[in-house]
Amino acid sequence: MPDHDRAVHATASMEQRVDAIQAALDERGMKATEAVEELSQLAQETWVPQNGARVVAKAWVDPAFRGRLLANGRAAVEELGLTMPKHHRHLVVLENTPRVQNVICCTLCSCTAFTIIGLPPDWYKDLEYRSRVVRESRTVLKEMGLDLPSDVEIRVWDTTADTRYMVLPEQPPETVGWAEERLAGIVTRDSLIGVARL
Ligand SMILES: [Fe+2]
């Protein structure tokens, strides 16, 4: 292809295109750069899995809270000062037991209860995870380092725009009696998604 044709068909990189759109919005007074900075800060400092970890620790030490959390997740996390966007209408908390492992995914895209469990990791958004975790959950979990005994039932939950999930992992027996704050420190993001046990 002659050089001039190549130039005509060349496409700017994703980064250049994003910058151009941002600049165009800024020029029109729509404050895109400000919004992007605000969102990045929220993602890094406010929407973190430590929120979900606090919820889990509270549920472990307070049976009444645990009951409220399982009945209405959204209302229960608000008791701890945590909020969810309006369109996350329901927070369904899935309780693991020795015989049941709950796992969450979003087969369509990447939905999570991100204000509670943090923004989804890259693998959660991969087509591979989204499709395979439904069809061959046990194998996928094993590949991710969670080799479950055959008598553990795996329940996979597909997130939608208005129903978000959080897994309530089992409390490791050796941590019974620990203070809430110390308990929160052992709860990982992956355990809130259900691809790891504690
Ligand atoms: Fe989604």
Side-chain angles (χ1 to χ4, degrees):
M1 189 196 294
D3 275 352
H4 65 272
D5 282 352
R6 196 169 284 136
V8 167
H9 294 288
T11 307
S13 72
M14 180 66 80
E15 201 171 47
Q16 287 169 321
R17 282 181 277 165
V18 169
D19 286 348
I21 292 170
Q22 203 169 310
L25 291 170
D26 281 345
E27 274 168 29
R28 286 160 181 76
M30 294 180 203
K31 301 184 177 174
T33 299
E34 226 173 85
V36 167
E37 278 164 13
E38 194 186 328
L39 280 174
S40 316
Q41 196 181 349
L42 281 169
Q44 282 164 31
E45 293 168 21
T46 310
W47 301 334
V48 290
Q50 285 79 6
N51 297 334
R54 271 177 61 210
V55 174
V56 168
K58 173 87 174 157
W60 284 344
V61 301
D62 181 343
F65 176 78
R66 181 200 195 96
R68 294 196 296 279
L69 182 68
L70 295 172
N72 182 343
R74 205 186 146 102
V77 300
E78 278 173 11
E79 292 179 31
L80 303 188
L82 299 169
T83 55
M84 298 179 70
K86 206 178 256 178
H87 72 282
H88 294 193
R89 291 178 56 217
H90 309 286
L91 175 65
V92 178
V93 176
L94 310 158
E95 188 178 32
N96 282 349
T97 71
R99 290 276 183 273
V100 175
Q101 176 71 28
N102 294 288
V103 184
I104 61 181
C105 69
C106 177
T107 53
L108 280 181
C109 46
S110 59
C111 302
T112 53
F114 58 81
T115 60
I116 309 300
I117 70 171
L119 286 173
D122 287 344
W123 54 259
Y124 184 92
K125 298 181 263 186
D126 271 356
L127 181 58
E128 172 121 345
Y129 173 77
R130 283 153 44 202
S131 52
R132 287 185 64 226
V133 76
V134 177
R135 290 198 315 266
E136 37 178 344
S137 345
R138 201 168 292 273
T139 310
V140 170
L141 291 185
K142 193 172 174 182
E143 287 167 5
M144 296 179 85
L146 180 60
D147 191 1
L148 292 169
S150 57
D151 62 350
V152 174
E153 181 194 344
I154 300 170
R155 294 183 188 159
V156 180
W157 300 79
D158 190 5
T159 309
T160 64
D162 65 1
T163 301
R164 310 283 165 144
Y165 298 102
M166 185 191 92
V167 174
L168 175 57
E170 278 183 279
Q171 179 173 9
E174 68 276 14
T175 67
V176 171
W178 285 17
E180 210 174 306
E181 204 179 319
R182 188 174 174 207
L183 287 170
I186 66 161
V187 180
T188 61
R189 179 199 65 195
D190 285 2
S191 72
L192 297 167
I193 297 176
V195 296
R197 286 189 151 190
L198 299 172

